[in-house]
Amino acid sequence: MITSTDFYHVMTAVVPLYVAMILAYGSVKWWKIFTPTQCSGINRFVAMFAVPLLSFHFIAGNNPYTMNVRFIAADTLQKLIVLAALAVWANFTKRGCLEWTITFFSLSTLPNTLVMGIPLLKGMYGDFSGGLMVQIVVLQCIVWYTLMLFLFEFRGARLLISEQFPDDTAGAIASITVDSDVTSLDGRQMLETAAEVMEDGKLHVTVRKSSASKSDVFSRKSVGGFPSGATPRPSNLTNAEIYSLQSSRNPTPRGSSFNHSDFYSAAGGRNSNFGANDVYGLSGSRPSNFFEEEAAAAANKSRFFHGNGTNYPAPNPGMFSPSKMAGNKKESGGKDVHMFVWSTSASPVSDVFGGGVSPAKVEGQGENKEEECVEREDLSFRNNREDQEEGGEREGEKREKVNMPPTSVMTRLILIMVWRKLIRNPNTYSSLIGLIWSLVSFRWNVEMPAIIAKSISILSDAGLGMAMFSLGLFMALQPRIIACGNSVATFAMAVRFLTGPAVMAAASIAVGLRGVLLRVAIVQAALPQGIVPFVFAKEYNVHPDILSTGVIFGMLIALPITLVYYILLGL
């Protein structure tokens, strides 16, 4: 039975976190203490130092040799059950698709364990539960977030291949080489692919940053591509508008003849005041200001580029067939190289059309067969692989079967991109170094030098408060708390706070958890949505509005919900 003293201990542990969040929210929304630029600096500090050092502090201080195997097994089994069910749904039903699989997996299995879980569970069940939460954090950072990156990069690679190598051409790809300056296939970078047909008749593809976009932007300016007398200027979009998380309905992927950074170099613009990646900084800061009228006019230019930078109309699928390319090679007597530019609606280019008009619609190419659409007030699942009939009727037998390169080629490409993302994430280093140090220190009783320990603790001690303060700033800069519509938000909250704990309860009972351990497992599964999955969703443009709602609205209702679980399980 839960006593008033127990309840007070829980509130003592959690209320300070909400105080920090409310102060940050009021500082921006009500009192106007911080400008968006100052918010960006605060969140950058939290992303690069406070949270990684907080993670290191918890992991390095946890004894890995006393980890509860059954508790870890229950958490792992829960995620595997959800992943298996979603895989079956995605592959054997008409409504299943990879994008919703990723979103449902994030909602149901990846809570905010580090920032919210550790203090809350300590207040409920004592210090030992904090050690259990640290074990969950280690697995999240090293295993599950890496799996999420793998799924996102697989999606990006599949979209890139299916868009630029239609028909059976992709099956002839023997290798894909990615230049070292390409860090992700999330669609934010303007990418240029060069396909070479070698003597064996197979394609060897190179992916690199677009070299045509920058020269094309300046050539337009020099020949009058911009309105006469117009002075390029930075966008006057507010930070909240830049941070709008409404789900884009732009076709994905789509070509683009310019990239975001080009407009900065032309206008001498400034970096984004507050980017999604600043929340727990999973990548470097990116530009987010751009020309407005000029960019809209530039978007109507041809987006397909040959190797020499000359503009062409939209690519003809037939020109990518191996036979035709081989024929061109014989006529020219040399290597046949085709280059084209690729980006997605996650690209900053799409921000130009934030009002809902995409470049494809401007050009009369509004039909989208590659990205599902979530209506703001109507929850629907749309399969990326099937044709859409009039009236919204679907015919499963007309699914588009995309031919992909060999498994070994795709696997190598995805692993390369995931590795490049991980090595740029400070949380990766903090988790791995913390785990290695804990293995050494608890095995041989080695103590960290006091000067190092105090240098870390001076920042890590403020990590929880700064993380919640950062979340409050993020909430204040959003135009809407519920960004995805009421019906979708209700469904997402049901998945987060009902489905996740239910599957965790079943998995925990299956592995033999009982008593307090069972209660800890269920309550930690009912924590609010983790922030890192939202950052991924924003980067790759996969339902960022739903994950944003899960983070913000979920944080607001998490305390009463977890208290209900705590009371019911204590009866």
Side-chain angles (χ1 to χ4, degrees), residues 46 103 131 180 231 258 304 321 324 405 412 512 527:
V46 173
T103 300
S180 59
T231 302
F258 58 92
F304 180 72
S321 62
K324 190 158 189 174
R412 183 177 180 275
L527 294 170

Side-chain angles (χ1 to χ4, degrees), residues 470-521:
S470 173
L471 184 59
L473 296 178
F474 169 67
M475 292 173 60
L477 292 172
Q478 301 308 304
R480 297 180 60 184
I481 296 236
I482 300 178
C484 61
N486 294 334
S487 60
V488 179
T490 301
F491 183 80
M493 294 303 99
V495 173
R496 170 69 265 158
F497 294 108
L498 296 177
T499 304
V503 178
M504 175 59 81
S508 300
I509 294 173
V511 300
L513 286 186
R514 298 292 186 272
V516 177
L517 284 177
L518 177 61
R519 298 171 200 165
V520 171

Side-chain angles (χ1 to χ4, degrees), residues 41-52 278 280-281 463 466-467 470:
I42 294 172
N43 283 278
R44 196 65 183 160
F45 167 79
V46 173
M48 299 304 297
F49 297 105
V51 170
D278 290 341
Y280 295 359
M466 289 300 299
S470 173

Side-chain angles (χ1 to χ4, degrees), residues 290-554:
F290 40 79
F291 301 149
E292 297 164 345
E293 299 86 5
E294 296 86 352
N300 292 323
K301 304 287 280 187
S302 172
R303 298 188 177 100
F304 180 72
F305 293 90
H306 193 268
N308 58 10
T310 307
N311 288 358
Y312 283 88
N316 181 359
M319 74 182 295
F320 290 102
S321 62
S323 58
K324 190 158 189 174
M325 293 179 72
N328 292 341
K329 178 183 176 183
K330 292 178 182 178
E331 292 175 6
S332 63
K335 293 181 179 178
D336 182 42
V337 179
H338 290 274
M339 293 184 182
F340 38 88
V341 177
W342 178 81
S343 70
T344 71
S345 57
S347 170
V349 172
S350 65
D351 292 340
V352 178
F353 301 88
V357 181
S358 67
K361 291 179 181 178
V362 174
E363 297 174 7
Q365 299 174 353
E367 185 179 3
N368 178 10
K369 293 184 181 180
E370 292 294 336
E371 180 177 11
E372 85 295 346
C373 175
V374 181
E375 294 296 337
R376 299 181 61 81
E377 296 294 337
D378 179 37
L379 179 64
S380 61
F381 308 106
R382 175 175 170 188
N383 194 328
N384 297 342
R385 297 166 295 180
E386 53 186 347
D387 295 329
Q388 301 298 318
E389 300 294 332
E390 290 185 4
E393 297 180 356
R394 301 177 178 85
E395 295 186 6
E397 62 272 12
K398 290 188 177 182
R399 287 187 180 183
E400 297 179 1
K401 186 65 176 179
V402 179
N403 190 22
M404 288 286 108
T407 304
S408 59
V409 175
M410 288 291 289
T411 302
R412 183 177 180 275
L413 170 64
I414 296 168
L415 290 177
I416 290 174
M417 303 317 299
V418 169
W419 171 254
R420 292 181 183 179
K421 292 286 284 188
L422 288 175
I423 62 176
R424 288 169 173 80
N425 181 1
N427 289 311
T428 301
Y429 296 101
S430 65
S431 300
L432 288 176
I433 296 174
L435 180 60
I436 293 172
W437 174 255
S438 65
L439 289 170
V440 172
S441 63
F442 285 99
R443 176 65 178 84
W444 290 286
N445 296 320
V446 179
E447 291 188 5
M448 185 178 296
I451 190 172
I452 298 178
K454 290 184 178 180
S455 298
I456 294 174
S457 65
I458 198 171
L459 291 176
S460 64
D461 289 347
L464 279 177
M466 289 300 299
M468 292 301 293
F469 196 88
S470 173
L471 184 59
L473 296 178
F474 169 67
M475 292 173 60
L477 292 172
Q478 301 308 304
R480 297 180 60 184
I481 296 236
I482 300 178
C484 61
N486 294 334
S487 60
V488 179
T490 301
F491 183 80
M493 294 303 99
V495 173
R496 170 69 265 158
F497 294 108
L498 296 177
T499 304
V503 178
M504 175 59 81
S508 300
I509 294 173
V511 300
L513 286 186
R514 298 292 186 272
V516 177
L517 284 177
L518 177 61
R519 298 171 200 165
V520 171
I522 295 174
V523 172
Q524 73 87 21
L527 294 170
Q529 178 62 44
I531 299 177
V532 173
F534 158 69
V535 177
F536 289 161
K538 180 62 177 174
E539 285 185 1
Y540 293 88
N541 197 38
V542 179
H543 305 138
D545 51 351
I546 297 177
L547 273 296
S548 169
T549 302
V551 171
I552 299 175
F553 188 63

Side-chain angles (χ1 to χ4, degrees), residues 81-95:
I81 290 173
V82 172
L83 197 59
L86 291 174
V88 172
W89 173 73
N91 288 282
F92 298 101
T93 64
K94 295 180 180 180
R95 292 177 178 266

Side-chain angles (χ1 to χ4, degrees), residues 2-159:
I2 305 301
T3 65
S4 58
T5 303
D6 296 330
F7 182 79
Y8 178 76
H9 287 161
V10 174
M11 299 304 291
T12 301
V14 177
V15 167
L17 298 177
Y18 281 89
V19 169
M21 185 177 71
I22 293 171
L23 285 176
Y25 184 88
S27 298
V28 176
K29 204 75 171 180
W30 306 324
W31 309 314
K32 312 297 181 183
I33 296 176
F34 297 114
T35 65
T37 302
Q38 291 168 335
C39 291
S40 176
I42 294 172
N43 283 278
R44 196 65 183 160
F45 167 79
V46 173
M48 299 304 297
F49 297 105
V51 170
L53 289 175
L54 175 67
S55 177
F56 174 84
H57 171 74
F58 281 128
I59 295 174
N62 182 66
N63 189 346
Y65 301 103
T66 60
M67 295 179 71
N68 192 303
V69 178
R70 284 192 176 183
F71 189 85
I72 297 298
D75 179 75
T76 303
L77 181 60
Q78 180 225 20
K79 293 174 172 58
L80 293 179
I81 290 173
V82 172
L83 197 59
L86 291 174
V88 172
W89 173 73
N91 288 282
F92 298 101
T93 64
K94 295 180 180 180
R95 292 177 178 266
C97 63
L98 179 60
E99 287 78 9
W100 277 109
T101 298
I102 296 172
T103 300
F104 284 149
F105 181 76
S106 298
L107 286 172
S108 59
T109 65
L110 297 175
N112 191 347
T113 309
L114 177 65
V115 177
M116 188 75 176
I118 293 176
L120 178 63
L121 271 296
K122 278 186 176 181
M124 288 181 173
Y125 299 106
D127 291 340
F128 90 98
S129 61
L132 296 176
M133 293 302 99
V134 173
Q135 298 170 20
I136 300 296
V137 170
V138 173
L139 288 180
Q140 280 185 350
C141 294
I142 297 177
V143 178
W144 303 116
Y145 290 158
T146 303
L147 175 63
M148 291 287 293
L149 279 177
F150 188 93
L151 293 175
F152 278 119
E153 289 295 337
F154 171 72
R155 172 183 175 270
R158 191 174 69 174
L159 291 176

